[in-house]
Amino acid sequence: MEIWINPACSKCRSALTLLDAEGADYTVRRYLEDVPSEEEIRAVLGRLGLEPWDITRTGEAVAKELGLKEWARDAGSRDRWIAALAAHPRLIQRPIITADDGTAVVARTDEAVRDALSR
C-alpha cells in the first residue's frame, strides 16, 4: 500500500501513526515533492471511485486564484480538473491510501485508515 502525504498535515501524521501502530507495510509518497502525473491522478480517482473535484481542496489560495469554485463539474471538465491537480498538487486532498486490493481511500479519519488496512 502507498500513502500520499504532506508531512505538515496533522491528518497525514495521524494516519501514519495508525499505520505504524497496526504494523502495516506501506510506502510514503510526499506528493508535493514527488508530484503525481495526470495519469497517476486518473488511476487514483478510478481506485477511489471519485471525480477530481471530489478530492480538490477548494479552500487553498491557488484554488481561489484559479476560480475553481466556478468550474463546471461534469465529464467535459474532468481533464481540466485533473490538469489543475497535477500542476498544483497542494490542491489534492490528503492523505490518500492506495490499498492492496486495488482500491483507495481518502484517509482523513481513523476509520478510513482502518478500512484501507482491512482491504
Side-chain angles (χ1 to χ4, degrees), residues 3-78:
I3 181 168
W4 291 8
I5 68 155
N6 172 351
C9 168
S10 62
K11 301 253 186 228
C12 293
R13 291 191 307 271
S14 231
L16 292 173
T17 298
L18 183 53
L19 290 173
D20 289 340
E22 296 292 327
D25 182 23
Y26 64 92
T27 303
V28 171
R29 180 171 187 170
R30 293 178 179 218
Y31 71 94
L32 296 178
E33 299 163 17
D34 182 8
V35 179
S37 68
E38 290 184 28
E39 194 51 45
E40 288 174 305
I41 292 168
R42 278 188 191 85
V44 163
L45 287 167
R47 292 174 80 164
L48 288 166
L50 297 174
E51 293 297 336
W53 45 86
D54 297 326
I55 66 161
T56 300
R57 298 172 52 85
T58 56
E60 292 288 330
V62 69
K64 290 179 175 73
E65 290 170 21
L66 295 171
L68 288 182
K69 287 189 177 181
E70 308 307 316
W71 288 16
R73 296 177 181 215
D74 57 26
S77 301
R78 192 169 198 269

Side-chain angles (χ1 to χ4, degrees), residues 85-96:
L85 293 174
H88 307 281
R90 187 166 299 282
L91 293 173
I92 299 172
Q93 190 60 261
R94 66 206 180 229
I96 294 176

